[in-house]
Amino acid sequence: ISISGVEIPRLITHRSLINHLQKMLPMIAAETHSPLRHIHRTGNSSSFILMPSWSTSPLLPYIGAKLVTHHSGNSAVNLPGVHAVYALFESLTGRPLAFIDATELTLYRTACVSALASSYLSREDSATLVAVGAGALAPHLVKAHLIVRPNIKRILVWNRTHEKAGIMADNLRKDPQFRGISVECVSDLEEAVRSGDIITCATNSEVALVKGVDLKKGAHLDLVGSFTPAMRECDEEAVRRGRVFVDTEAAAVEAGELAGAVDVVEGELVDVVKGEKKGRMNSEEITVFKSVGSAMVDLLAAQIVYENYTQQAI
C-alpha cells in the first residue's frame, strides 16, 4: 500500500505518537537494530541520507528504511528543505507492506521526540516557549511541546527572515489549539532566549544562534536542526552549562554542537524514559536535548501509521 503525506494527520496526532513512543521505546530498544545512517553529499548544499532499522521484538515485527534528501537552499524556491519516503517490510517474511510519504511523518516524529524529552527535562511550570526557526518543522515542535507542557501561555517565534516568523505566528494564532496563548513574532533573539523556559531550535544554521550566557536558570534547550559536524544551533557555553541528553548515541558524532564530546552526554532518551537516567533534577538546572533523528523512532512512527491505516481500511 501507499500512504501519502495528506493521510498522515488522519492516522496519527502528536499526542498519539508521543504516547506510542513513550510506551514502546523501553520495550523494544534492546531488540531493535539501527546502524549509523549513511550520509552522502550530493552537492554543495544537498545530502542523501539512508536510515535503516529492524526489530526482532514481536511488538515491532518490521524492517524499514527511510530515504531522505536534504537541500538547504529549497526555501528560495518555496519548497521544504527535507523530502523523505519510508519503505516498510514484514520482518518474518521480508514482504513489502507499505510505502509511506515520510516528509510529513518525519515532521511528526521529530517534534514528538522533542516533546517526549521535554516531558522529562523541562520544568512542568514552563510558561514561555521560544521557537527558533520558522520552517515546516517549527509549528509541529510548538504543538507537540504544548501537549506535554500545557502551562505554556506565551510563544515567541524568531526566524532569520522576519517575514517568515510573522507568517508562522499568524498561522498559530488562527489555530484553535492556541486559544488563550500569546503568540509573538520577535526580532531580538537574545532577548527572547533570556525569557524562554523552553527554547526549541529547528534551523540549518552553521553559526551558533543560541548563546549559553542568555539561558536563564531552569531553561530547557531543544536542538533539532543540525545533523552534521559543520552545523550548530548553540555555542559551547550552552552545552557546558546544561545537562545534555541525546536521542541516539550518533548525536555525539554527527551534531556540530557536541562535536564528538561524548563525555558531556548524560544519557539517551530511552535511558530517561526507562528511568535508568534521571531527567530534570531541580527547578534551577539547565537541560539540553540534542536530536539528530533516530531510525528506531522512524520505525515506531511507521508502525503506528501503517497499523492505523490497515485498521481503518477494514
Side-chain angles (χ1 to χ4, degrees):
I1 59 175
S2 178
I3 302 174
S4 72
V6 177
E7 294 175 283
I8 301 291
R10 180 173 65 79
L11 299 169
I12 54 171
T13 62
H14 295 103
R15 187 182 298 277
S16 71
L17 184 51
I18 292 166
N19 292 342
H20 183 63
L21 297 178
Q22 187 169 31
K23 174 188 168 189
M24 292 290 287
L25 272 172
M27 296 194 286
I28 58 89
E31 297 172 86
T32 303
H33 308 274
S34 304
L36 276 179
R37 79 190 78 201
H38 293 231
I39 301 179
H40 303 282
R41 294 303 292 258
T42 55
N44 289 334
S45 60
S46 60
S47 307
F48 181 44
I49 305 156
L50 295 88
M51 298 177 64
S53 187
W54 62 92
S55 177
T56 54
S57 167
L59 298 172
L60 187 63
Y62 303 106
I63 299 166
K66 187 166 77 174
L67 311 177
V68 187
T69 58
H70 178 259
H71 286 64
S72 58
N74 274 6
S75 56
V77 289
N78 207 27
L79 283 173
V82 176
H83 291 96
V85 293
Y86 199 91
L88 187 69
F89 303 84
E90 184 180 67
S91 58
L92 190 63
T93 64
R95 180 172 61 99
L97 298 173
F99 203 56
I100 305 169
D101 180 338
T103 307
E104 190 75 9
L105 187 69
T106 299
L107 297 177
Y108 273 88
R109 172 273 257 167
T110 307
C112 291
V113 167
S114 280
L116 180 57
S118 180
S119 71
Y120 294 93
L121 299 176
S122 66
R123 290 197 337 267
E124 284 189 30
D125 62 350
S126 294
T128 298
L129 171 67
V130 180
V132 182
L137 177 57
H140 286 269
L141 284 163
V142 171
K143 290 174 183 180
H145 276 286
L146 202 59
I147 284 165
V148 300
R149 290 293 176 252
N151 290 322
I152 290 170
K153 290 292 175 275
R154 188 176 178 225
I155 296 164
L156 308 178
V157 183
W158 179 91
N159 193 69
R160 268 200 207 91
T161 309
H162 192 65
E163 184 186 0
K164 281 187 74 175
I167 292 168
M168 175 173 152
D170 286 342
N171 289 338
L172 292 180
R173 285 187 205 104
K174 293 171 189 169
D175 191 316
Q177 187 179 346
F178 296 90
R179 195 170 289 127
I181 297 173
S182 165
V183 183
E184 303 165 42
C185 166
V186 299
S187 54
D188 188 330
L189 179 57
E190 284 80 9
E191 184 183 338
V193 169
R194 284 193 288 270
S195 67
D197 298 307
I198 299 171
I199 300 101
T200 181
C201 304
T203 73
N204 293 319
S205 184
E206 294 189 357
V207 296
L209 297 171
V210 175
K211 310 292 195 301
V213 68
D214 292 325
L215 293 170
K216 70 179 185 181
K217 287 182 179 178
H220 172 60
L221 178 59
D222 174 43
L223 303 166
V224 176
S226 77
F227 59 89
T228 72
M231 302 166 79
R232 65 191 64 235
E233 296 184 296
C234 74
D235 63 7
E236 290 179 7
E237 179 69 3
V239 173
R240 189 191 66 74
R241 289 188 69 196
R243 290 180 63 232
V244 180
F245 295 85
V246 294
D247 64 333
T248 166
E249 62 182 349
V253 179
E254 297 176 354
E257 296 91 349
L258 303 181
V262 181
D263 55 330
V264 306
V265 176
E266 296 239 352
E268 295 177 37
L269 177 58
V270 67
D271 302 327
V272 181
V273 177
K274 279 181 171 180
E276 292 174 2
K277 297 277 184 179
K278 179 76 173 150
R280 173 165 289 274
M281 301 278 204
N282 57 61
S283 63
E284 298 216 328
E285 72 177 359
I286 292 168
T287 53
V288 177
F289 178 67
K290 173 61 208 156
S291 72
V292 293
S294 155
M296 176 169 62
V297 172
D298 283 326
L299 189 61
L300 284 168
Q303 174 190 30
I304 188 173
V305 166
Y306 170 72
E307 291 179 0
N308 285 349
Y309 182 93
T310 52
Q311 283 171 12
Q312 288 183 17
I314 294 171

